[in-house]
Every structure is written in structure tokens, then in C-alpha cells.
Amino acid sequence: MRTSSGTGELLVELHRENGVPLHQQLESGIRTRIRAGLLRAETVMPSTRALAQDLGLSRGVVVEAYQQLVAEGYLISRGGGYTQVADITVVEPTAAPKTPTGPPRIDFRYSRPDVSQFPRAAWLRSVRRVLNETPYRSLAYIDGRGTIELRTALSDYLNRVRGTAARPENMLICNGFAQGSRLLLQVLAAQGRRCLAVEDPSDNDLRDVAKAAGLQVVGVPMLDSGIDVGALERSGADVVLVTAAHQFPTGAVASAETRAALAAWGGLVIEDDYDAEYRYDREPIGALQGLAPDRVAYAGTASKTLAPGLRLGWLVLPPSLVEPMAEAKLMDDRGSPVFDQLAFADFVARGEFDRHLRRMRPRYRTLRDTLVERLAARLPELKPVGVSAGLHVLTWLPPDLAENELRAAALERGLGVYGLAPYWVGGNGPAGLVFGYGSLSRAEVVEGIDLLADVVAAIRS
């Protein structure tokens, strides 16, 4: 594959005072970089004339070096007068053989959507429109909140679909929930907040971030109706993180009473609305932010709906937090990529986001149904909970099954299953398994549960 005219540059260090002929130094420098994999196969080398000019050498020195490396098999001289790096295999000695490891063949890991269904054609249309129509001034440094086009499109979408009270001026675009939550906790700590309450159990990613920001972290028990607001009020926390529409990992949905109590609570509520778009057996639940926009910071992301690799997230902020968060965002990375924001804005405004979600809901529901049905057939003692929405299912384990033993035995058979232990804030709680099914096929779900049933039978035998 000819990828260059052979006029590019090549960095080679030469020492004219050490007595080693220059052609040998050039050979050694190129040979070493090829063997180290720094010059990959089919890389087009600079022409002898261009390299000689760059290095201040006679062309004959470069020709001699190239000829020697061709003779040794490191370079290939192609027709048309250009030279490429050869495809060589260098076997490096190792002290001891290593046992190869890899990911499970069937993996029930949580938080993985089906990225194979990413709407490439619709996204490409949006990208083309943006590339053709975006004025050059939009490519300069932008507002720390993000492009007005995306903030407007998302506020319209969220107000219509999630029942928020979002306004473009109160929104901030970030690189996924990870960046948005980190910046938010840092800003809150700088403003004097001291204690973050989290649902117990809950996703553990944010706890270390909160502690690094200087916040104390306390767990608040979960009820069937959502977080225990009475326990929250007794916790001493001044900030709470909730997943009210579909709690992770229990799947609980906050009741109307719980939502009203959270809206009236005296601290700041961070609402992580991570997978609320996927609901199957219940009516949609509006965002908590719509009840108390001055006391709730709403966080959303495209990671579960489109693809984690997009790194697109958004915050709807109380007015008092907008400017501090915009400043923190600019200080952190000078703003998220403009073209990505504008493409997503076009994608949302033209209804492509709605169409994609309508197409994905029945697909995920089928996977959910398959998982629940197979558990009932092969492992009826594993009762699933929180199945009405989202991309995961929780099952409690009977007393004779230990999470770690089950996970290790499953992994030996190429099956990835995941316990509940890491999600308990205090480290102690009932044992369970969290099944993520978004990235699997129906056949993989069936085979995975069959494998797990075999593992359970082997442990009990």
C-alpha cells in the first residue's frame, strides 16, 4: 500500500565525531527502530534524496544504508522508486512463558450497550451537514457550557421526553458522566459542601472521586420505593447522588412520595438519569429535576443510548452552579470537541435520536425477556428484580452460593458474571449477581445462563 510519495521526514541521530561511518550509524538507527516496532510494516521511507538533504549527508551515504537494509530484509525496494519497511517478526527472549489471558467469551458485564446498532448512516448525514454548513467562527474557542446548538437541542428533548425544566443557558456539555460528575464534586467541595450521600448499594466509581475532592461519603439504604429519605436526613449529608428513575443495581424506581421528599430536602440532589430511556413494563417516570430545578443537578449521557466512545454527556444545573461549572470545564480541557457537539445537536433536532431509541427498546426488551425466562427455567432460585427498565437485572443469591466462588468458576468456563459485593458502601450486604445484557445476542444470553447453571450444579455437587 503506497501511502506517501517518500518525501516525509525521519528522525535519526548521527554522531559525526565518534568515528563510526555515517552509513553504518544510519543503518543501525533505522534497524533498531524497525526491530522495536517503532517503524511498522509498509511504512513508506523518505526518498534517498530527501533524507540526505534533511540529515546533511551525501545521497550516496543514504543509498548505501538503504541497500544494506534491503539486503538484510528490513526494507523493501518497490517499483516506482520508493522504499517501504518490510514485514518482519522479531522474537524477543522472555524469562518465562506467560499464560495467555483474555476477556470472557460470554460477558454479562454491566453498562455495555449494543454498539453494533450505532446509527452510522443517520450520524454520517449529521456529520456531513455540520461539515458543510458550520461557519468557521464556530471552530474557535467556545463557551465553557458547550455549543448553544447542542444545549438548545438537548433542552428541548429533555423537557419533552424526561419532563425536565431545562434551559440552554443552564446546561453544560461534558465528556460523559465521568467528567461532569468529577467537575461538579470539585466545585461543590470548593463551595463548602462536606458530605456526599450515595444509595447503598450503588455504583462505586464516584466514591473515590468524591473522596479525592475532599468530600466524606456515606451510604443511605435503599427501599423498594427508592432511597430512604428519612435516613438521608439523619446522615448529615449536604449532597446526595440518586438514580431515581431506575436505581443501579437494585432496579428500584423512586415513588412519588420519595421524589417529593427529595425535592423538598434541604441539600443539593445530583440526579444520574443514566438509562431512563429504556423502559419496558411501566409508564415513563419524569426526571426529578423538573420538580426542583433550583435544587437538582441533572446528569445525562449518550453512553447507554448511543455509544460510550462518543464521550458525550450533559448537565442541567441550578443557576448558582452554571458559571463555576463553566469555568471548571474550561480549565479542565478548554471545552469538548465542537464537531461532535454540532453533529449530535443535528442528530437530536432532526428526530434521529428518538428514532434510534424506538428501534432499540424492543431489541433490549427481547434480551431482557430471554434472560428472565432462561433464569426461571435453569436457575429458578435466582429471582430477578428491577427488570422493568434499563440494561441490567439483579438476582439475589441463595445462602449456599458465594459470589467470589461462583464468579471464579464461571470465568474458568469463559463466562463473565459479576457480584454485588463491590457496590455495598459499607462492604457488607446480601450476595447477588448483576447481569448486564445490552451487548449480548439472544443465543449468548441462553448459552450464558446454561453455563452458569452448570457451574452452580458443579459447586453444589
Side-chain angles (χ1 to χ4, degrees), residues 355-390:
R355 281 186 279 274
H356 174 68
L357 290 171
R358 284 197 298 270
R359 187 173 66 251
M360 295 306 296
R361 285 189 191 109
R363 181 180 182 87
Y364 288 138
R365 178 170 186 159
T366 297
L367 291 171
R368 189 280 311 261
D369 290 346
T370 301
L371 174 61
V372 171
E373 291 166 2
R374 204 62 185 173
L375 283 170
R378 295 299 311 272
L379 292 165
E381 66 271 40
L382 271 61
K383 303 293 185 183
V385 297
V387 301
S388 63

Side-chain angles (χ1 to χ4, degrees), residues 13-72:
E13 292 188 11
L14 301 176
H15 303 279
R16 289 171 168 79
E17 302 81 11
N18 65 4
V20 178
L22 292 175
H23 72 88
Q24 292 183 8
Q25 292 188 47
L26 184 56
E27 293 166 19
S28 177
I30 296 173
R31 184 187 299 111
T32 299
R33 298 185 71 183
I34 293 174
R35 290 180 62 86
L38 302 177
L39 291 174
R40 296 189 298 171
E42 299 188 353
T43 297
V44 177
M45 300 291 289
S47 68
T48 55
R49 188 182 304 279
L51 186 57
Q53 183 177 354
D54 289 342
L55 297 179
L57 302 172
S58 70
R59 187 182 179 193
V61 170
V62 179
V63 169
E64 185 175 359
Y66 273 21
Q67 288 176 341
Q68 179 61 34
L69 291 170
V70 168
E72 294 177 8

